[in-house]
Amino acid sequence: MGFADQQLQLQVPYSPDDTFNALKTAMEKLPKVKVDSASPTTRTIAAEIGMSLWSWGENISISVVPVEGGSGVTVKSSSKVRANVLNGGKNAKNIAEIVDALSKELERYPQVSQTIETLADSG
């Protein structure tokens, strides 16, 4: 990754499939984001943000993987123009917006730990 690239990794207490579905819905609700592809098989999303007065544009890649207790999410944002070493923190701001949208969308899904507790109580 170059200087203008950003990456964030986080863990959430939701199943990988629920996390991917919430992420896909969240990304589609962000007005400046265009989802290029979303694969439920590999749980990956490729998206882009177009050029604006404040940015040369960005390529966004997101992957969701299973981890103990839920899902691991990796969000990468790379400037479309490699010469753009300084981007004014736009990549980090856009990642924060994606994570915030994901967090709001995940509120509709059951947490893994709650699901496990429910299954244990019924047996």
Side-chain angles (χ1 to χ4, degrees):
M1 285 193 300
F3 291 115
D5 299 345
Q6 294 286 319
Q7 176 175 312
L8 176 70
Q9 294 179 311
L10 65 140
Q11 291 186 3
V12 294
Y14 298 89
S15 76
D17 288 335
D18 285 350
T19 301
F20 174 79
N21 291 330
L23 182 60
K24 185 173 179 289
T25 300
M27 295 289 287
E28 291 168 348
K29 289 181 179 179
L30 294 172
K32 62 184 174 184
V33 175
K34 176 185 175 251
V35 175
D36 294 325
S37 65
S39 171
T41 306
T42 60
R43 294 186 200 100
T44 57
I45 294 177
E48 63 182 86
I49 296 174
M51 277 200 256
S52 70
L53 292 174
W54 301 275
S55 172
W56 288 104
E58 299 169 45
N59 292 314
I60 310 282
S61 63
I62 307 171
S63 62
V64 177
V65 296
V67 298
E68 187 174 333
S71 302
V73 180
T74 302
V75 183
K76 296 178 185 175
S77 176
S78 303
S79 294
K80 288 184 177 183
V81 177
R82 287 284 155 218
N84 182 24
V85 175
L86 300 174
N87 68 359
K90 204 63 180 150
N91 297 70
K93 289 176 189 173
N94 287 329
I95 288 175
E97 287 178 17
I98 291 167
V99 170
D100 184 53
L102 171 61
S103 177
K104 288 176 184 169
E105 197 62 36
L106 279 171
E107 292 174 0
R108 300 178 37 223
Y109 292 87
Q111 291 187 15
V112 171
S113 60
Q114 290 175 340
T115 303
I116 292 169
E117 289 171 10
T118 302
L119 293 173
D121 290 342
S122 65

